[in-house]
Amino acid sequence: MKQQRRARAIAMTPAEVDAFLAEQRTCRVATVGSTGPHATPLWFVWQDGALWLTSLSRSQRWTDLQNDPRIAVVVDAGEDYGELRGVELRGRVEVVGEVPRTGEAVPELDAPEQAFADKYSGGTVVRDGRHAWLRLVPEKVTSWDFRKIGR
């Protein structure tokens, strides 16, 4: 994975990145389509160094990623300048499991699906036959925590 070169003084440590991504609920996903960039919010799970996304398999985002798996994802928080913090993840996604997801046994999805269910649906795993799973193992992680300015 490429290391962050700029703004190291305000970069999060790997443990801080893990904790931040575990507590946040919404990310912004940027894909590249035939007409240019496309950005959308999604829920996610960060687990074992991978970002897990469930996406409608009949969406513009899905179409974009099937044609070009490159993705940038931003997760951020804070209201005032001095409390802004966030993480940008870049890389290529891969599809995991059947498309759309209906419940075929995929051991690789057991942990992310349960973590997603625990985070967003009271522990109940939902397989609606419209969504499918994407995994991003980042090639580059950039982070910032403005609360570190002036320390």
Side-chain angles (χ1 to χ4, degrees):
M1 179 186 329
K2 289 185 180 180
Q3 297 299 313
Q4 183 168 341
R5 293 178 35 178
R6 302 189 66 175
R8 287 188 197 136
I10 61 170
M12 294 182 199
T13 67
E16 290 170 332
V17 167
D18 287 343
F20 178 75
L21 292 174
E23 73 185 24
Q24 298 303 311
R25 293 181 56 87
T26 306
C27 66
R28 285 107 180 128
V29 174
T31 59
V32 179
S34 60
T35 60
H38 179 69
T40 56
L42 273 182
W43 284 347
F44 70 95
V45 173
W46 176 252
Q47 194 167 62
D48 300 326
L51 189 80
W52 291 86
L53 304 163
T54 182
S55 174
L56 286 166
S57 59
R58 298 182 117 201
S59 66
Q60 184 62 53
R61 172 184 47 255
W62 189 269
T63 300
D64 291 349
L65 291 169
Q66 296 314 294
N67 292 326
D68 184 345
R70 294 177 301 163
I71 192 170
V73 178
V74 171
V75 181
D76 60 339
E79 297 292 324
D80 294 326
Y81 183 82
E83 63 186 30
L84 296 178
R85 57 195 176 124
V87 176
E88 179 192 32
L89 308 163
R90 289 180 172 251
R92 297 172 190 278
V93 294
E94 61 181 314
V95 176
V96 180
E98 81 268 29
V99 178
R101 180 88 172 118
T102 57
E104 175 184 305
V106 181
E108 195 174 8
L109 286 175
D110 289 345
E113 280 185 326
Q114 190 59 58
F116 193 88
D118 292 344
K119 191 171 183 179
Y120 300 106
S121 63
T124 303
V125 174
V126 177
R127 298 180 185 115
D128 64 5
R130 300 178 333 147
H131 289 77
W133 283 96
L134 299 164
R135 174 178 48 207
L136 169 63
V137 177
E139 296 167 8
K140 183 175 183 186
V141 175
T142 305
S143 65
W144 58 94
D145 185 344
F146 285 14
R147 298 173 307 174
K148 294 182 177 186
I149 294 174
R151 283 190 193 170

